[in-house]
Amino acid sequence: MALPTKRLLYVCLLTVVLYVCFNLDPFKGGPFIFKKNSGQFLQLPNINCRQNPPFLLLLVTSAPQQMMARTAIRETWGREQEVRGKQVRTFFLLGTTASEDEMMAVAQENRQHGDIIQKDFKDVYFNLTLKTMMGMEWIHRFCPQVAFVMKTDTDMFINVKYLTELLLKKNRTVGFFTGYLKPKDLPIRNKFSKWYVSQFEYPWSKYPPFCSGTAYVFSSDVASQVYNISESVPFIKLEDVFVGLCLAKLGIQPEELHSQQTFFPGGLSFSACRFRKLVACHFIKSQDLRVYWQALEDSKEEDCRDV
Ligand SMILES: *[C@@H]1O[C@H](CO)[C@@H](O)[C@H](O)[C@H]1NC(C)=O
Ligand SMILES: *[C@@H]1O[C@H](CO)[C@@H](O)[C@H](O)[C@H]1NC(C)=O
Ligand SMILES: *[C@@H]1O[C@H](CO)[C@@H](O)[C@H](O)[C@H]1NC(C)=O
């Protein structure tokens, strides 16, 4: 009898080791599915899209504590409200914090500026997909009349004028999705990476085509379609990949906005002429935002001809 007992013990031990090493927790249940109607809106921006639909809405993911960064954006690229006779608005996407003071500060900020969209989910990096989907839901429910939407982040420089001009030139109305294209990215399986994704969360070896989450732009019908299909797509905490999965299921292919590169998720050193001809640049600190903005305002387009 000794041998089978030993063997059984060995099998048990091996199983435990496997579960621990490969994170094959049998009690985890099925993959998480995004629930469309979960949570309620706590803050809404001051806009009536039915009466006066904007051409372009910029939705900026931001944490409740990042008030300084929001102020810098409101004083720079978020200030643009009319480009070539088209209405443009910038709103911020926020989750909640446990601090009552911070929640009250957000409510006060929205009373003052009317530019905050907030729902009751915990504002943490790994809830970015929920935040993005809140933006999609808000467009779908409150502003389907807008022509285009950009989803971007607080550490970005956005050239709203150039973006508007390129969108007008492109002249697309439905099924349009653009940004910095990532056609063939692979899941990162290194546990120490910020973008680590386990086999459990994403068992496939390739990602669908998607656009860098730093800044992407789409026609507003895409928001409704993505929101609509989001429940039937496996949830992943990388929001740009999640949107890519939705697009793949919808048969919408991300495409280039311009023949030249205009989205810079890896950042770019500043020059007024360079920043005149880009749409989005990553890794911009709030204090630099003001400096660059002023330099752009002060410079003349004529001086850039030889670039
Ligand atoms: C995301 O938000 C939900 C709802 O507030 C919360 O239950 C969950 O713990 C959050 N996720 C993370 C990773 O903290
Ligand atoms: C935009 O496209 C529509 C048809 O899709 C066309 O009728 C219109 O003339 C185009 N406008 C410009 C400015 O190219
Ligand atoms: C949402 O999906 C349903 C079925 O999946 C479809 O009938 C409906 O047209 C979709 N709505 C939008 C706005 O795409």
Side-chain angles (χ1 to χ4, degrees), residues 32 38 96 119-128 130 235 237:
F32 178 75
S38 62
T96 61
K119 245 180 128 167
D120 64 347
F121 61 88
K122 198 170 151 198
D123 199 307
V124 290
Y125 181 73
F126 282 150
N127 265 342
L128 212 48
L130 295 186
F235 187 86
K237 60 184 182 279

PDB file of all heavy atoms in Angstrom, residues 32 38 96 119-128 130 235 237, ligand 1:
ATOM      1  N   PHE A  32     -13.508  37.326 -16.624  1.00  0.00           N
ATOM      2  CA  PHE A  32     -14.371  38.454 -16.286  1.00  0.00           C
ATOM      3  C   PHE A  32     -14.985  39.016 -17.557  1.00  0.00           C
ATOM      4  O   PHE A  32     -14.345  39.132 -18.579  1.00  0.00           O
ATOM      5  CB  PHE A  32     -13.523  39.517 -15.594  1.00  0.00           C
ATOM      6  CG  PHE A  32     -14.284  40.743 -15.242  1.00  0.00           C
ATOM      7  CD1 PHE A  32     -15.170  40.736 -14.173  1.00  0.00           C
ATOM      8  CD2 PHE A  32     -14.109  41.917 -15.968  1.00  0.00           C
ATOM      9  CE1 PHE A  32     -15.873  41.882 -13.840  1.00  0.00           C
ATOM     10  CE2 PHE A  32     -14.811  43.064 -15.630  1.00  0.00           C
ATOM     11  CZ  PHE A  32     -15.692  43.042 -14.567  1.00  0.00           C
ATOM     12  N   SER A  38     -23.213  48.642 -15.560  1.00  0.00           N
ATOM     13  CA  SER A  38     -22.841  48.681 -14.157  1.00  0.00           C
ATOM     14  C   SER A  38     -22.431  50.093 -13.750  1.00  0.00           C
ATOM     15  O   SER A  38     -21.840  50.838 -14.523  1.00  0.00           O
ATOM     16  CB  SER A  38     -21.686  47.714 -13.902  1.00  0.00           C
ATOM     17  OG  SER A  38     -20.577  48.111 -14.659  1.00  0.00           O
ATOM     18  N   THR A  96     -13.579  56.999  -8.979  1.00  0.00           N
ATOM     19  CA  THR A  96     -13.773  57.534  -7.622  1.00  0.00           C
ATOM     20  C   THR A  96     -12.578  57.234  -6.725  1.00  0.00           C
ATOM     21  O   THR A  96     -11.745  56.382  -7.027  1.00  0.00           O
ATOM     22  CB  THR A  96     -15.020  56.908  -6.968  1.00  0.00           C
ATOM     23  OG1 THR A  96     -14.820  55.503  -6.886  1.00  0.00           O
ATOM     24  CG2 THR A  96     -16.266  57.226  -7.753  1.00  0.00           C
ATOM     25  N   LYS A 119     -17.861  58.148 -13.040  1.00  0.00           N
ATOM     26  CA  LYS A 119     -18.741  57.047 -12.665  1.00  0.00           C
ATOM     27  C   LYS A 119     -18.200  56.392 -11.410  1.00  0.00           C
ATOM     28  O   LYS A 119     -17.031  56.588 -11.053  1.00  0.00           O
ATOM     29  CB  LYS A 119     -18.784  56.011 -13.808  1.00  0.00           C
ATOM     30  CG  LYS A 119     -20.151  55.880 -14.466  1.00  0.00           C
ATOM     31  CD  LYS A 119     -20.143  54.860 -15.566  1.00  0.00           C
ATOM     32  CE  LYS A 119     -21.264  53.878 -15.348  1.00  0.00           C
ATOM     33  NZ  LYS A 119     -21.495  53.039 -16.534  1.00  0.00           N
ATOM     34  N   ASP A 120     -19.041  55.584 -10.734  1.00  0.00           N
ATOM     35  CA  ASP A 120     -18.579  55.031  -9.458  1.00  0.00           C
ATOM     36  C   ASP A 120     -17.835  53.700  -9.595  1.00  0.00           C
ATOM     37  O   ASP A 120     -18.344  52.640  -9.286  1.00  0.00           O
ATOM     38  CB  ASP A 120     -19.733  54.931  -8.443  1.00  0.00           C
ATOM     39  CG  ASP A 120     -20.803  53.969  -8.893  1.00  0.00           C
ATOM     40  OD1 ASP A 120     -20.767  53.575 -10.078  1.00  0.00           O
ATOM     41  OD2 ASP A 120     -21.662  53.601  -8.087  1.00  0.00           O
ATOM     42  N   PHE A 121     -16.596  53.811 -10.078  1.00  0.00           N
ATOM     43  CA  PHE A 121     -15.659  52.682 -10.012  1.00  0.00           C
ATOM     44  C   PHE A 121     -14.356  53.250  -9.459  1.00  0.00           C
ATOM     45  O   PHE A 121     -14.080  54.451  -9.580  1.00  0.00           O
ATOM     46  CB  PHE A 121     -15.438  52.058 -11.393  1.00  0.00           C
ATOM     47  CG  PHE A 121     -14.849  53.000 -12.390  1.00  0.00           C
ATOM     48  CD1 PHE A 121     -13.482  53.151 -12.505  1.00  0.00           C
ATOM     49  CD2 PHE A 121     -15.662  53.775 -13.208  1.00  0.00           C
ATOM     50  CE1 PHE A 121     -12.921  54.055 -13.404  1.00  0.00           C
ATOM     51  CE2 PHE A 121     -15.124  54.680 -14.120  1.00  0.00           C
ATOM     52  CZ  PHE A 121     -13.756  54.818 -14.210  1.00  0.00           C
ATOM     53  N   LYS A 122     -13.584  52.363  -8.841  1.00  0.00           N
ATOM     54  CA  LYS A 122     -12.347  52.786  -8.191  1.00  0.00           C
ATOM     55  C   LYS A 122     -11.321  53.262  -9.227  1.00  0.00           C
ATOM     56  O   LYS A 122     -11.029  52.547 -10.179  1.00  0.00           O
ATOM     57  CB  LYS A 122     -11.797  51.581  -7.409  1.00  0.00           C
ATOM     58  CG  LYS A 122     -10.789  51.916  -6.356  1.00  0.00           C
ATOM     59  CD  LYS A 122     -10.536  50.652  -5.526  1.00  0.00           C
ATOM     60  CE  LYS A 122      -9.131  50.646  -4.967  1.00  0.00           C
ATOM     61  NZ  LYS A 122      -8.729  49.297  -4.543  1.00  0.00           N
ATOM     62  N   ASP A 123     -10.806  54.473  -9.019  1.00  0.00           N
ATOM     63  CA  ASP A 123      -9.870  55.041  -9.987  1.00  0.00           C
ATOM     64  C   ASP A 123      -8.458  54.509  -9.770  1.00  0.00           C
ATOM     65  O   ASP A 123      -7.681  55.059  -8.999  1.00  0.00           O
ATOM     66  CB  ASP A 123      -9.884  56.572  -9.888  1.00  0.00           C
ATOM     67  CG  ASP A 123      -9.303  57.208 -11.134  1.00  0.00           C
ATOM     68  OD1 ASP A 123      -8.178  56.838 -11.515  1.00  0.00           O
ATOM     69  OD2 ASP A 123      -9.980  58.062 -11.736  1.00  0.00           O
ATOM     70  N   VAL A 124      -8.148  53.389 -10.428  1.00  0.00           N
ATOM     71  CA  VAL A 124      -6.797  52.819 -10.372  1.00  0.00           C
ATOM     72  C   VAL A 124      -6.380  52.460 -11.795  1.00  0.00           C
ATOM     73  O   VAL A 124      -7.222  52.307 -12.678  1.00  0.00           O
ATOM     74  CB  VAL A 124      -6.740  51.537  -9.492  1.00  0.00           C
ATOM     75  CG1 VAL A 124      -6.914  51.884  -8.027  1.00  0.00           C
ATOM     76  CG2 VAL A 124      -7.777  50.515  -9.927  1.00  0.00           C
ATOM     77  N   TYR A 125      -5.049  52.342 -11.983  1.00  0.00           N
ATOM     78  CA  TYR A 125      -4.524  52.099 -13.325  1.00  0.00           C
ATOM     79  C   TYR A 125      -5.190  50.886 -13.980  1.00  0.00           C
ATOM     80  O   TYR A 125      -5.553  50.924 -15.155  1.00  0.00           O
ATOM     81  CB  TYR A 125      -3.009  51.912 -13.276  1.00  0.00           C
ATOM     82  CG  TYR A 125      -2.413  51.682 -14.630  1.00  0.00           C
ATOM     83  CD1 TYR A 125      -2.302  52.724 -15.545  1.00  0.00           C
ATOM     84  CD2 TYR A 125      -2.000  50.410 -15.026  1.00  0.00           C
ATOM     85  CE1 TYR A 125      -1.785  52.518 -16.813  1.00  0.00           C
ATOM     86  CE2 TYR A 125      -1.479  50.196 -16.292  1.00  0.00           C
ATOM     87  CZ  TYR A 125      -1.371  51.250 -17.170  1.00  0.00           C
ATOM     88  OH  TYR A 125      -0.872  51.032 -18.420  1.00  0.00           O
ATOM     89  N   PHE A 126      -5.371  49.826 -13.209  1.00  0.00           N
ATOM     90  CA  PHE A 126      -5.924  48.610 -13.799  1.00  0.00           C
ATOM     91  C   PHE A 126      -7.422  48.704 -14.070  1.00  0.00           C
ATOM     92  O   PHE A 126      -8.023  47.749 -14.541  1.00  0.00           O
ATOM     93  CB  PHE A 126      -5.594  47.386 -12.940  1.00  0.00           C
ATOM     94  CG  PHE A 126      -4.174  46.925 -13.147  1.00  0.00           C
ATOM     95  CD1 PHE A 126      -3.470  46.311 -12.134  1.00  0.00           C
ATOM     96  CD2 PHE A 126      -3.539  47.108 -14.376  1.00  0.00           C
ATOM     97  CE1 PHE A 126      -2.152  45.887 -12.333  1.00  0.00           C
ATOM     98  CE2 PHE A 126      -2.228  46.693 -14.585  1.00  0.00           C
ATOM     99  CZ  PHE A 126      -1.530  46.086 -13.557  1.00  0.00           C
ATOM    100  N   ASN A 127      -8.033  49.836 -13.789  1.00  0.00           N
ATOM    101  CA  ASN A 127      -9.438  50.034 -14.164  1.00  0.00           C
ATOM    102  C   ASN A 127      -9.575  50.957 -15.370  1.00  0.00           C
ATOM    103  O   ASN A 127     -10.654  51.471 -15.639  1.00  0.00           O
ATOM    104  CB  ASN A 127     -10.240  50.588 -12.986  1.00  0.00           C
ATOM    105  CG  ASN A 127     -10.938  49.479 -12.211  1.00  0.00           C
ATOM    106  OD1 ASN A 127     -11.097  48.367 -12.720  1.00  0.00           O
ATOM    107  ND2 ASN A 127     -11.356  49.765 -10.998  1.00  0.00           N
ATOM    108  N   LEU A 128      -8.473  51.120 -16.113  1.00  0.00           N
ATOM    109  CA  LEU A 128      -8.484  52.016 -17.264  1.00  0.00           C
ATOM    110  C   LEU A 128      -9.476  51.567 -18.342  1.00  0.00           C
ATOM    111  O   LEU A 128     -10.069  52.390 -19.031  1.00  0.00           O
ATOM    112  CB  LEU A 128      -7.068  52.091 -17.861  1.00  0.00           C
ATOM    113  CG  LEU A 128      -6.657  53.411 -18.516  1.00  0.00           C
ATOM    114  CD1 LEU A 128      -6.975  54.601 -17.647  1.00  0.00           C
ATOM    115  CD2 LEU A 128      -5.171  53.390 -18.843  1.00  0.00           C
ATOM    116  N   LEU A 130     -12.347  50.187 -17.723  1.00  0.00           N
ATOM    117  CA  LEU A 130     -13.662  50.664 -17.266  1.00  0.00           C
ATOM    118  C   LEU A 130     -13.815  52.149 -17.582  1.00  0.00           C
ATOM    119  O   LEU A 130     -14.882  52.618 -17.966  1.00  0.00           O
ATOM    120  CB  LEU A 130     -13.830  50.446 -15.757  1.00  0.00           C
ATOM    121  CG  LEU A 130     -13.862  49.008 -15.246  1.00  0.00           C
ATOM    122  CD1 LEU A 130     -14.188  48.993 -13.756  1.00  0.00           C
ATOM    123  CD2 LEU A 130     -14.894  48.192 -16.009  1.00  0.00           C
ATOM    124  N   PHE A 235     -12.701  40.320 -21.422  1.00  0.00           N
ATOM    125  CA  PHE A 235     -12.179  41.523 -20.768  1.00  0.00           C
ATOM    126  C   PHE A 235     -10.663  41.454 -20.644  1.00  0.00           C
ATOM    127  O   PHE A 235     -10.093  40.421 -20.321  1.00  0.00           O
ATOM    128  CB  PHE A 235     -12.798  41.671 -19.386  1.00  0.00           C
ATOM    129  CG  PHE A 235     -12.437  42.962 -18.719  1.00  0.00           C
ATOM    130  CD1 PHE A 235     -13.184  44.105 -18.964  1.00  0.00           C
ATOM    131  CD2 PHE A 235     -11.357  43.053 -17.860  1.00  0.00           C
ATOM    132  CE1 PHE A 235     -12.870  45.310 -18.359  1.00  0.00           C
ATOM    133  CE2 PHE A 235     -11.024  44.262 -17.247  1.00  0.00           C
ATOM    134  CZ  PHE A 235     -11.788  45.386 -17.504  1.00  0.00           C
ATOM    135  N   LYS A 237      -7.391  44.153 -19.141  1.00  0.00           N
ATOM    136  CA  LYS A 237      -7.196  45.424 -18.444  1.00  0.00           C
ATOM    137  C   LYS A 237      -6.451  46.453 -19.280  1.00  0.00           C
ATOM    138  O   LYS A 237      -6.437  47.624 -18.948  1.00  0.00           O
ATOM    139  CB  LYS A 237      -6.477  45.203 -17.111  1.00  0.00           C
ATOM    140  CG  LYS A 237      -5.104  44.580 -17.238  1.00  0.00           C
ATOM    141  CD  LYS A 237      -4.498  44.315 -15.871  1.00  0.00           C
ATOM    142  CE  LYS A 237      -3.107  43.731 -15.969  1.00  0.00           C
ATOM    143  NZ  LYS A 237      -3.058  42.293 -16.230  1.00  0.00           N
TER     144      LYS A 237
HETATM  145  C1  LIG B   1     -12.043  48.578 -10.247  1.00  0.00           C
HETATM  146  O1  LIG B   1     -13.226  49.156  -9.762  1.00  0.00           O
HETATM  147  C2  LIG B   1     -14.119  48.240  -9.167  1.00  0.00           C
HETATM  148  C3  LIG B   1     -15.391  48.996  -8.828  1.00  0.00           C
HETATM  149  O2  LIG B   1     -15.143  50.050  -7.966  1.00  0.00           O
HETATM  150  C4  LIG B   1     -13.452  47.623  -7.940  1.00  0.00           C
HETATM  151  O3  LIG B   1     -14.327  46.675  -7.371  1.00  0.00           O
HETATM  152  C5  LIG B   1     -12.167  46.947  -8.374  1.00  0.00           C
HETATM  153  O4  LIG B   1     -11.483  46.461  -7.264  1.00  0.00           O
HETATM  154  C6  LIG B   1     -11.280  47.925  -9.134  1.00  0.00           C
HETATM  155  N1  LIG B   1     -10.134  47.208  -9.699  1.00  0.00           N
HETATM  156  C7  LIG B   1      -8.935  47.252  -9.147  1.00  0.00           C
HETATM  157  C8  LIG B   1      -7.862  46.507  -9.876  1.00  0.00           C
HETATM  158  O5  LIG B   1      -8.682  47.852  -8.114  1.00  0.00           O
END
